[in-house]
Amino acid sequence: LSEAQKTDLIAEVDFQNLKAAKLSEIEVATERKETKEAELTDTLLKAAKAKDDREETTAAMEADQEFLANMQKDCQKEDEQYKARVKVRTEEIVALSETLTILNEDEARDLFGKTSAGEKPPTFLQVATSEQVAVQDQAVERAMQRIANVARKHKNWSLVSLAVRVRLDAFTEVKVAMDKMLAELNKQQKEEYAKWELCKKDIDHTEDDIKVAENTKEDLDEKHLNLVNTIETLKKEIEELKADEEAMEVALKQAGEQRKAESVLYQTEISDQRATTNILNKALARLKTFYTPELLETHARQQQEPNRPGFAVGDKPAEPKDYAKSAGAGGVIQLLMKVIEDAEASEKQLEISEQKLQDAYAAFVKSTTATIQADRDAIAEKNEQLAAANAEKSETEGAKLSNKMGLEELNSLLQAHHTDCDWLLKYFDLRQKARQDDIDSITDAKAVLSGAGLGK
């Protein structure tokens, strides 16, 4: 029966160990399944987002290509119109130049002089002497040549028209036209300078904003990467802590089952030992009730004084008497007492061993429970850190999206500034100089007509 109980106990312990191992494997497999499902969900979300981004990028690219095609078409049209305007303007300048040449010929001057006797002569002259007429003609010629030279240099048809008017109109009308043109040129000069300053300011300001936005983008990218790494690290640490906690729980469960088996085995052994001791005590008591104490003393004396060589062996034995109690029973009784003492010592040793095993189990339970609680506390703390990191990651992604939209708007604004200002910035000095030349020529011509001369 004892052997059968031990066999059943060992089978039960093996079964419990196998059960704990299989449960642990099931828990690990379940955890892996949940992890893979989460990864699958995340991958599907990323794929959907990537698909949406691809569609948006494709739509943006198609819109950009359409815009580029339209812009190329418009640019080609503008180039054709510009060439046509340049051709017309060139022809106009040639025609006006030829007109000036015709008006400056000697034959034309003679005809103008002959026709100056009418009521309303078509020249600058009023009633004057021939010397005054000559001086005025020279002044008109010098003013016209001054304006015409600048007009040819800059291909300015407005100055060409003004030169023709200097030759044909009266002084007063010419001066009024000059004043108007000077006012307009000065106005254009100031407005162009103001726009030039504004363009530089707007471009510089926008470029500074873009630089700040790009720096912010780099900071957000770095922060996002750090948060992703932190989240991955926290997830890995949480998984390791959970695995450690599960291992500790399994170990604690196995230790409990082992302690239970050891306790059952101890109870069986101590019971058998006590039963053996009881049987031996009963046998000893029965012998003691049969044999007298005198026999025990005789047996002890014989044991203490054995026959030795050279000693007398004693008197001759007497004649046999009737059958009596054996004197050797004392040795048997002492042997039984020795066996009983050994059994009692074994029982005490079993109790000491059981107490040591119980103490070791209690210490293991205490330390393992503390470790499990520490792991649970760490898991809770890291879950809080993980939630905070995920929240901060979401905020960072929102900030990145806002920064991306703002950066796109700034780049579009910068492109618009360049489209509006590049031509002006490139030719500003040239245009300012050309316009100033126009202003100086008109001022000089006006001075000539007013009698100041050019000082040449």
Side-chain angles (χ1 to χ4, degrees):
L1 179 62
S2 176
E3 291 296 329
Q5 289 177 344
K6 291 181 180 179
T7 303
D8 291 341
L9 180 61
I10 293 172
E12 177 68 20
V13 171
D14 293 339
F15 172 74
Q16 293 296 334
N17 292 336
L18 179 62
K19 179 181 177 182
K22 293 301 180 182
L23 289 175
S24 178
E25 291 177 0
I26 292 172
E27 291 177 356
V28 172
T30 303
E31 183 70 20
R32 290 180 179 176
K33 177 185 175 184
E34 293 176 353
T35 302
K36 295 298 181 183
E37 289 177 349
E39 292 177 354
L40 177 61
T41 303
D42 186 56
T43 303
L44 292 175
L45 290 174
K46 290 181 179 179
K49 185 177 179 181
K51 183 178 179 181
D52 294 338
D53 293 341
R54 182 176 179 274
E55 292 177 353
E56 292 177 358
T57 304
T58 302
M61 182 181 70
E62 292 176 353
D64 292 340
Q65 290 176 347
E66 183 180 358
F67 174 76
L68 179 61
N70 293 331
M71 184 178 68
Q72 290 176 346
K73 183 178 179 181
D74 294 339
C75 289
Q76 183 178 1
K77 184 177 179 181
E78 290 291 336
D79 289 339
E80 293 175 355
Q81 292 177 355
Y82 175 74
K83 291 178 180 179
R85 289 197 301 271
V86 170
K87 182 179 179 182
V88 172
R89 190 169 298 169
T90 302
E91 293 175 352
E92 183 179 14
I93 292 173
V94 171
L96 291 173
S97 298
E98 292 176 353
T99 301
L100 288 174
T101 302
I102 294 171
L103 294 174
N104 289 326
E105 292 178 351
D106 294 337
E107 184 179 355
R109 291 175 180 274
D110 293 339
L111 291 174
F112 291 153
K114 292 178 180 179
T115 58
S116 61
E119 295 179 358
K120 292 183 179 179
T123 65
F124 299 101
L125 304 177
Q126 300 296 328
V127 180
T129 63
S130 59
E131 293 180 356
Q132 291 175 336
V133 170
V135 172
Q136 290 177 355
D137 286 342
Q138 291 178 358
V140 170
E141 180 67 19
R142 292 170 63 188
M144 183 185 66
Q145 289 296 335
R146 175 74 169 121
I147 296 175
N149 290 335
V150 176
R152 290 192 188 96
K153 180 180 179 181
H154 298 299
K155 296 182 179 181
N156 191 330
W157 64 272
S158 298
L159 289 181
V160 174
S161 300
L162 181 61
V164 173
R165 293 188 64 180
V166 169
R167 188 69 183 84
L168 298 179
D169 292 346
F171 284 165
T172 304
E173 296 177 356
V174 171
K175 288 181 179 180
V176 171
M178 287 181 176
D179 290 337
K180 289 182 179 180
M181 185 167 289
L182 283 173
E184 181 64 25
L185 289 173
N186 286 320
K187 179 181 177 183
Q188 292 176 3
Q189 198 83 333
K190 292 179 181 179
E191 289 178 350
E192 190 175 66
Y193 178 80
K195 185 176 181 181
W196 177 67
E197 289 288 342
L198 181 62
C199 284
K200 291 196 301 180
K201 179 180 177 181
D202 289 342
I203 291 175
D204 290 341
H205 182 70
T206 305
E207 288 178 346
D208 291 341
D209 290 343
I210 289 175
K211 186 175 182 180
V212 172
E214 289 176 346
N215 291 334
T216 303
K217 180 179 180 298
E218 293 178 358
D219 294 339
L220 290 173
D221 289 340
E222 183 178 0
K223 182 179 180 181
H224 185 267
L225 179 61
N226 292 334
L227 287 172
V228 170
N229 293 334
T230 300
I231 290 172
E232 292 298 327
T233 301
L234 288 172
K235 287 182 178 179
K236 184 177 179 180
E237 291 176 351
I238 289 172
E239 290 176 358
E240 292 176 352
L241 288 171
K242 286 183 177 179
D244 185 60
E245 179 187 354
E246 291 174 358
M248 289 292 106
E249 290 177 349
V250 171
L252 187 62
K253 184 177 180 180
Q254 291 176 348
E257 293 172 353
Q258 183 178 357
R259 179 83 278 275
K260 181 179 179 181
E262 291 172 349
S263 178
V264 171
L265 181 61
Y266 164 75
Q267 294 296 333
T268 301
E269 291 179 350
I270 199 70
S271 177
D272 293 343
Q273 196 68 34
R274 288 173 180 174
T276 301
T277 303
N278 289 333
I279 291 173
L280 291 174
N281 284 325
K282 288 180 180 179
L284 180 62
R286 183 68 183 87
L287 289 175
K288 285 182 177 180
T289 58
F290 180 77
Y291 292 103
T292 61
E294 293 78 4
L295 292 177
L296 295 177
E297 292 177 358
T298 300
H299 176 74
R301 185 172 60 252
Q302 290 176 354
Q303 292 294 329
Q304 294 175 0
E305 297 179 359
N307 292 329
R308 299 179 183 177
F311 287 89
V313 296
D315 297 335
K316 179 180 178 180
E319 292 294 330
K321 296 180 179 180
D322 294 335
Y323 182 80
K325 298 178 181 180
S326 175
V332 175
I333 293 173
Q334 288 184 352
L335 179 61
L336 283 176
M337 293 176 64
K338 177 64 175 172
V339 171
I340 292 171
E341 290 177 357
D342 292 341
E344 290 176 350
S346 297
E347 181 179 349
K348 290 181 179 179
Q349 186 64 34
L350 286 174
E351 291 177 352
I352 292 172
S353 299
E354 173 66 13
Q355 186 61 41
K356 288 182 178 179
L357 291 174
Q358 181 63 29
D359 293 341
Y361 173 71
F364 176 76
V365 169
K366 183 178 180 181
S367 63
T368 305
T369 303
T371 302
I372 291 174
Q373 186 60 41
D375 288 344
R376 288 175 179 174
D377 294 339
I379 290 172
E381 182 180 357
K382 290 187 181 298
N383 279 326
E384 292 178 359
Q385 295 176 359
L386 181 62
N390 282 322
E392 190 173 1
K393 178 187 172 186
S394 299
E395 293 178 359
T396 304
E397 289 175 348
K400 285 183 63 178
L401 180 59
S402 177
N403 174 261
K404 179 181 178 182
M405 295 175 62
L407 195 56
E408 290 176 352
E409 292 177 357
L410 288 173
N411 285 322
S412 299
L413 180 61
L414 181 61
Q415 184 178 1
H417 286 327
H418 281 295
T419 302
D420 185 44
C421 299
D422 281 353
W423 189 85
L424 174 62
L425 295 174
K426 182 177 180 180
Y427 296 105
F428 174 75
D429 294 335
L430 184 62
R431 286 172 58 82
Q432 287 283 307
K433 185 177 182 304
R435 191 178 289 111
Q436 189 61 45
D437 289 344
D438 295 345
I439 292 172
D440 292 341
S441 65
I442 295 174
T443 303
D444 292 343
K446 184 178 177 183
V448 170
L449 296 178
S450 298
L454 293 175
K456 295 182 181 179

